[in-house]
Amino acid sequence: MCCAGSEQRLTCTDQMMLFGKVSQQLCGIKKLPWSCDSRYFWGWLNAVFNKVDYDRIRDVGPDRAASEWLLRCGAMVRYHGQERWQTDYNHLPTGPLDKYKIQAIDATNSCIMSIGFDHMVGLQHVEKIRLCKCHYIEDDCLLRLGQLENLQKSILEMEIISCGNITYKGIIALRHLRNLKYLLLSDLPGVREKENLIQVFETALPSLELKLQLK
């Protein structure tokens, strides 16, 4: 059992440690290509936020560590038995760390990327994932999801919308999510093999409701 006060102090400490690490790494950079494009810097910073801390996962459990990762990157999570979405890193629920199990993830406009997906290895209760306007999501992310045995069992719904780096290769990896019941694919310019896609999912997941809003 963790008392509310100690949990709050832990959260603030985590934030201080996180930004302390970022500051240290910033100080170590001698030159950034500001004259060319600041996207390099923001890409690097997002990679820092996505870095997996395996000691943290061991200490607080996969659901808490994954929640911290997702909120740090601008995503939201909802826990089993709750209607409210968690959106603020500093207001994650207090109490026993094993009490809160992630049921749904909404990564709309977030900066999650493939190097952070090891946070999902221990998640066993995720039923829905929404990836919308995620500029760093690519095929490797979906391939990783399809490989995780826990998610193969638990995921029931997925929505992938306006993720420009996703192609046919990433989408068909979702056929391994054997309990997937609903899949929405919308505004994915990299996915062109529409008829092949339908055939793959009809064969692998005959009970799947597949909604395509593709050109």
Side-chain angles (χ1 to χ4, degrees):
M1 295 288 288
C2 295
C3 67
S6 63
E7 183 65 14
Q8 182 62 35
R9 287 195 296 273
L10 178 61
T11 300
C12 293
T13 299
D14 294 338
Q15 284 286 73
M16 293 174 65
M17 290 176 62
L18 171 65
F19 287 103
K21 291 178 181 178
V22 172
S23 299
Q24 290 173 3
Q25 294 183 54
L26 280 173
C27 292
I29 297 177
K30 296 182 178 179
K31 183 178 180 181
L32 285 170
W34 295 110
S35 59
C36 299
D37 199 335
S38 63
R39 286 178 298 179
Y40 173 89
F41 169 75
W42 292 112
W44 169 85
L45 187 60
N46 290 332
V48 171
F49 288 151
N50 277 272
K51 185 177 180 180
V52 181
D53 185 340
Y54 296 98
D55 290 335
R56 182 66 175 163
I57 295 174
R58 182 197 63 215
D59 292 342
V60 302
D63 287 271
R64 177 61 184 229
S67 297
E68 294 172 351
W69 162 58
L70 289 162
L71 269 64
R72 194 163 58 228
C73 293
M76 304 186 295
V77 300
R78 191 179 71 236
Y79 298 120
H80 269 272
Q82 297 189 4
E83 296 183 2
R84 184 171 65 91
W85 287 89
Q86 303 293 328
T87 61
D88 189 338
Y89 184 103
N90 286 313
H91 289 89
L92 283 169
T94 60
L97 293 172
D98 61 352
K99 176 181 178 181
Y100 300 98
K101 304 298 184 183
I102 298 175
Q103 181 180 32
I105 296 169
D106 186 342
T108 299
N109 287 316
S110 73
C111 67
I112 63 171
M113 58 179 63
S114 59
I115 62 172
F117 270 58
D118 270 6
H119 285 100
M120 294 193 179
V121 171
L123 302 182
Q124 300 185 31
H125 306 276
V126 179
E127 296 179 0
K128 181 175 181 178
I129 297 178
R130 175 182 172 88
L131 303 174
C132 178
K133 298 181 181 179
C134 300
H135 300 301
Y136 296 99
I137 289 292
E138 52 195 0
D139 289 340
D140 285 348
C141 300
L142 302 188
L143 290 168
R144 185 67 173 131
L145 286 180
Q147 293 170 350
L148 297 178
E149 186 175 352
N150 291 337
L151 297 185
Q152 289 175 358
K153 297 177 182 178
S154 69
I155 293 183
L156 304 177
E157 301 179 30
M158 281 201 67
E159 298 179 358
I160 305 176
I161 305 166
S162 302
C163 295
N165 295 320
I166 294 294
T167 72
Y168 174 84
K169 178 183 177 182
I171 296 299
I172 61 170
L174 301 179
R175 72 189 186 278
H176 298 299
L177 304 176
R178 55 182 178 271
N179 288 318
L180 191 63
K181 303 300 181 186
Y182 174 81
L183 177 60
L184 168 64
L185 305 175
S186 177
D187 186 26
L188 302 175
V191 181
R192 297 184 177 87
E193 300 88 342
K194 185 175 178 179
E195 296 304 319
N196 289 342
L197 202 63
I198 294 173
Q199 186 175 4
V200 167
F201 281 110
E202 284 181 345
T203 301
L205 301 170
S207 62
L208 174 68
E209 179 184 354
L210 179 63
K211 297 189 69 173
L212 301 179
Q213 300 172 0
L214 305 173
K215 293 183 179 180

